[in-house]
Amino acid sequence: GKSGLTILDIISKDIGIEVKGKEMHPICRRFSKLPVSRNDKFVPMYQGQKCVRVRILEGNNKMSEDNKLLCEHEVTLPNSTSVEQTAFDIGLSINLNQIIDVKVTFDERNELSFSCKTTQSITEMPVEIIEKSRQRLVCLQTGFQRTSAATRENPPQQPLTPDTIKSLEKLQKVIDLSKGLSDYPKEEIKNLQDWINNNKNSATLNMVEEKINYAIKLAGPWGIVLQEEVKKL
């Protein structure tokens, strides 16, 4: 293998449960990095309800029937005087072996656990994209040492701070990784790159951070992956 390169294992489909209206409520979102643990709070549909059927679903569709049923388990509800008092927490934990541990918790003394297995293939972030990104970052870092003619004619009022330089590196990494995403707007990649080229000697930290957040938001579900890669810098 190629040493020093990172491969991210992610799930390509939402994992969640069926809720009112026969709809799927995602708990672990697609493109989440593995291992992952998420939880959410729910209430029964009506007061005095004796039990709920927890149906674990896999898929990216709104309606339950359009997704794959992985497993289901009937959970007896404790007696209470209101729906709110019967609120319970459902937590999902997915490991690298694609095993989903489900935990239904009413309080510290009343919980139920069971497991099932996801059928989806684990997706890996292509190492080629990450490798190209790192090569580009080396060029960008050396570029900070050069002074263009335009900069000499219009020098910035003060030099870039180390935090601003680091943020510019992060923004460049987001741009480079985004080039490998088929759904990412190509025009925005060009605009972001032009912004770096025009502002790398005069940008402020706040300006760069705003651009990073904007660039990650454009990636949609892949934004989670971009955030994880940026954190490594």
Side-chain angles (χ1 to χ4, degrees):
K2 300 179 180 180
S3 94
L5 297 180
T6 302
I7 298 178
L8 295 179
D9 292 314
I10 61 175
I11 54 174
S12 58
K13 298 178 182 178
D14 292 337
I15 305 291
I17 68 166
E18 182 180 276
V19 293
K20 181 180 179 180
K22 300 291 184 180
E23 294 184 359
M24 175 177 170
H25 175 84
I27 296 180
C28 292
R29 290 284 188 174
R30 57 178 164 168
F31 304 119
S32 295
K33 179 184 174 183
L34 295 178
V36 60
S37 295
R38 297 283 188 274
N39 64 285
D40 213 339
K41 190 170 287 293
F42 302 89
V43 294
M45 291 180 61
Y46 55 87
Q47 184 175 337
Q49 189 170 331
K50 301 297 184 182
C51 65
V52 293
R53 185 171 294 276
V54 179
R55 294 166 54 87
I56 306 300
L57 303 170
E58 171 186 83
N60 301 324
N61 300 301
K62 179 180 180 180
M63 304 308 297
S64 295
E65 62 183 10
D66 298 324
N67 298 299
K68 183 175 182 60
L69 175 65
L70 298 179
C71 62
E72 55 184 317
H73 203 98
E74 190 170 281
V75 178
T76 301
L77 299 176
N79 295 326
S80 68
T81 57
S82 69
V83 168
E84 289 73 19
Q85 289 182 348
T86 322
F88 53 94
D89 187 274
I90 295 182
L92 302 182
S93 297
I94 310 173
N95 63 25
L96 290 172
N97 294 321
Q98 299 171 273
I99 302 299
I100 305 172
D101 290 321
V102 185
K103 181 176 289 187
V104 184
T105 306
F106 297 98
D107 53 50
E108 295 179 354
R109 298 164 298 174
N110 192 352
E111 66 179 32
L112 171 72
S113 298
F114 57 96
S115 298
C116 54
K117 193 175 192 301
T118 173
T119 61
Q120 62 183 284
S121 299
I122 298 303
T123 302
E124 296 179 343
M125 186 70 173
V127 295
E128 291 82 3
I129 297 177
I130 299 172
E131 185 177 39
K132 290 179 181 178
S133 171
R134 290 178 177 171
Q135 291 173 351
R136 181 61 181 269
L137 282 174
V138 171
C139 296
L140 185 64
Q141 289 165 353
T142 58
F144 287 136
Q145 307 305 318
R146 296 194 294 269
T147 305
S148 67
T151 303
R152 286 196 296 270
E153 294 172 5
N154 302 289
Q157 294 183 351
Q158 58 184 15
L160 297 179
T161 65
D163 286 343
T164 302
I165 294 175
K166 177 63 70 175
S167 290
L168 281 168
E169 295 173 12
K170 292 179 179 179
L171 177 56
Q172 185 65 59
K173 184 164 190 175
V174 171
I175 293 172
D176 291 336
L177 291 174
S178 298
K179 293 176 181 177
L181 303 178
S182 59
D183 294 334
Y184 202 97
K186 303 305 179 187
E187 185 63 26
E188 289 298 334
I189 292 178
K190 180 181 182 301
N191 292 339
L192 288 166
Q193 188 64 65
D194 288 343
W195 187 90
I196 284 186
N197 295 337
N198 295 330
N199 296 276
K200 65 181 180 182
N201 292 307
S202 58
T204 65
L205 180 60
N206 287 340
M207 290 167 58
V208 182
E209 293 293 339
E210 287 179 5
K211 288 294 180 181
I212 291 174
N213 293 333
Y214 174 71
I216 289 176
K217 184 178 180 180
L218 287 176
W222 279 101
I224 298 173
V225 178
L226 297 182
Q227 284 180 326
E228 290 295 330
E229 284 302 305
V230 165
K231 289 178 182 179
K232 297 175 184 177
L233 283 178

